[in-house]
Amino acid sequence: MTPPRTPRPALARLSIVVPCYNEAAVIGETVRRLQALCDSLPDTQAEMIFVDDGSRDATRVLLRGFAAQDQRIRVIGLARNFGHQLAVTAGIDAAGGDAVVLIDADLQDPPEVVAEMLARWREGYDVVYGTRTERPGESWFKLASARAFYRLLNRLSDVPIPLDTGDFRLMDRAVVEVLKAMPERDRFIRGMVSWVGFRQLALPYRRAGRFAGETKYPLRKMLRFAGDGILSFSTRPLQLSIGLGFLSAGLALLGMLYAVVVRLVTTGWVAGWAAIMVAVLFVGGVQLVSIGILGEYIGRIYHEVKRRPLYVTEEEIGARGRNEV
């Protein structure tokens, strides 16, 4: 942990970025608790930026109503569902505060923790990220898989990424500006923040169960997200393919020795069987794995060179946006 620099002045502008996707069942309570948080923060000018990631329910309609009642609320409506990490990116791009907080709309990350994050930021820390001490309401499989993923990612990544953390964090404006200068498409925000550096502090907190609705990260999306994290911050999978090649060669050598022994000491051998099995199962299998790993990296290069926008904004509502309702 890097020690903080000179403490910051009390007066600050705070932007709270909230990505939303089909959160109609919980968004009212989320807005209420964030409003209460903003009201409780002394010497802080707060704005709440809700990014609707192409919701198919009434989320955006409800957000329009909240924005009409509270000038601190801004709504960014994306043209379709671009995914959680790009919705977060849209919010970061729009945020104008001296400090920017990322928090999901499902209330599993308690908004009240933001006050303590802000206090640590004023002490001089540039990033204050939440570390989960408890995760009630989640299955043993999700807990075990998340624990295994973070530890595997740290072993593979060239940059240490804090364990048991999500995107719930506060970032200084200097960190935000660096993130905005990183245009990569396959984004893993928590890893990108770790890569940036600066003075970072872990803040333990107890995660709550979902207030309403259902998780937006089923197993398929979790696996894809894990792949993005590993491939975006490590080239070791490519090195793994080299190791598999040496392993294949070693196993093939053992197979050839086995074939020679069988030929010399038994009479029940089938001509060519051992050689074919060695070639097909070992060499062929390793080649397919290596080509697959290489293809994942090439696919990411393909998406990057097209230079398409990371997201498309359909409407903006609020103090700094145009109202297209």
Side-chain angles (χ1 to χ4, degrees):
M1 180 181 68
T2 305
R5 60 182 182 186
T6 305
R8 296 181 172 91
L11 182 63
R13 294 175 300 161
L14 177 67
S15 297
I16 302 175
V17 174
V18 190
C20 307
Y21 178 63
N22 294 342
E23 300 288 2
V26 69
I27 197 65
E29 180 66 12
T30 301
V31 170
R32 185 192 68 78
R33 288 178 61 178
L34 286 174
Q35 286 174 326
L37 168 71
C38 294
D39 292 338
S40 69
L41 296 175
D43 301 323
T44 302
Q45 299 174 0
E47 65 172 353
M48 293 163 276
I49 303 174
F50 291 86
V51 183
D52 178 52
D53 189 22
S55 296
R56 296 191 295 269
D57 62 4
T59 298
R60 191 177 301 187
V61 175
L62 294 171
L63 288 173
R64 288 171 182 159
F66 294 131
Q69 299 170 7
D70 190 338
Q71 293 185 350
R72 297 173 298 183
I73 294 179
R74 297 169 57 192
V75 180
I76 299 175
L78 302 187
R80 65 170 177 84
N81 178 238
F82 284 88
H84 179 270
Q85 297 293 283
L86 292 182
V88 170
T89 300
I92 291 174
D93 290 343
D98 302 315
V100 178
V101 169
L102 309 181
I103 185 171
D104 288 340
D106 56 16
L107 294 179
Q108 287 188 281
D109 300 323
E112 295 74 17
V113 177
V114 173
E116 190 171 353
M117 289 181 169
L118 189 60
R120 298 294 173 267
W121 173 78
R122 283 183 168 133
E123 290 175 1
Y125 290 100
D126 300 300
V127 177
V128 184
Y129 55 87
T131 300
R132 303 157 180 165
T133 58
E134 298 181 47
R135 303 177 64 169
E138 298 185 0
S139 66
W140 67 268
F141 175 77
K142 185 169 184 179
L143 293 174
S145 59
R147 181 180 177 85
F149 162 67
Y150 284 115
R151 282 147 184 81
L152 175 63
L153 179 60
N154 255 323
R155 290 185 65 88
L156 295 178
S157 176
D158 299 325
V159 178
I161 298 176
L163 301 176
D164 303 319
T165 63
D167 291 326
F168 183 37
R169 62 194 59 223
L170 179 147
M171 302 176 295
D172 182 68
R173 168 54 53 183
V175 177
V176 170
E177 291 301 325
V178 176
L179 289 180
K180 290 170 66 175
M182 299 168 67
E184 56 211 64
R185 296 190 56 83
D186 298 296
R187 303 177 78 80
F188 188 65
I189 300 294
R190 64 202 69 171
M192 294 166 66
V193 175
S194 295
W195 180 89
V196 166
F198 290 91
R199 298 163 182 83
Q200 306 203 11
L201 175 71
L203 181 64
Y205 74 101
R206 182 183 183 275
R207 203 176 197 216
R210 285 189 64 90
F211 180 83
E214 59 184 17
T215 178
K216 305 305 184 296
Y217 269 93
L219 180 60
R220 177 180 59 83
K221 285 190 176 181
M222 286 175 59
L223 292 175
R224 179 173 179 80
F225 187 57
D228 287 340
I230 293 172
L231 296 178
S232 296
F233 287 90
S234 176
T235 58
R236 292 190 183 180
L238 293 173
Q239 300 168 5
L240 175 64
S241 65
I242 298 176
L244 289 174
F246 281 112
L247 177 62
S248 172
L251 293 175
L253 177 61
L254 293 176
M256 287 185 287
L257 292 175
Y258 171 75
V260 171
V261 172
V262 169
R263 175 66 180 86
L264 295 176
V265 302
T266 68
T267 58
W269 59 281
V270 177
W273 172 84
I276 292 175
M277 292 301 293
V278 169
V280 172
L281 295 180
F282 295 116
V283 179
V286 168
Q287 285 178 337
L288 289 175
V289 171
S290 301
I291 291 173
I293 293 173
L294 186 61
E296 283 291 331
Y297 282 97
I298 293 175
R300 281 162 168 74
I301 296 173
Y302 169 70
H303 287 299
E304 293 289 347
V305 298
K306 288 190 292 187
R307 307 300 297 172
R308 291 177 181 172
L310 297 179
Y311 55 86
V312 178
T313 301
E314 183 179 18
E315 63 177 344
E316 297 182 23
I317 305 166
R320 298 191 183 182
R322 62 187 186 281
N323 193 328
E324 300 179 5
V325 181

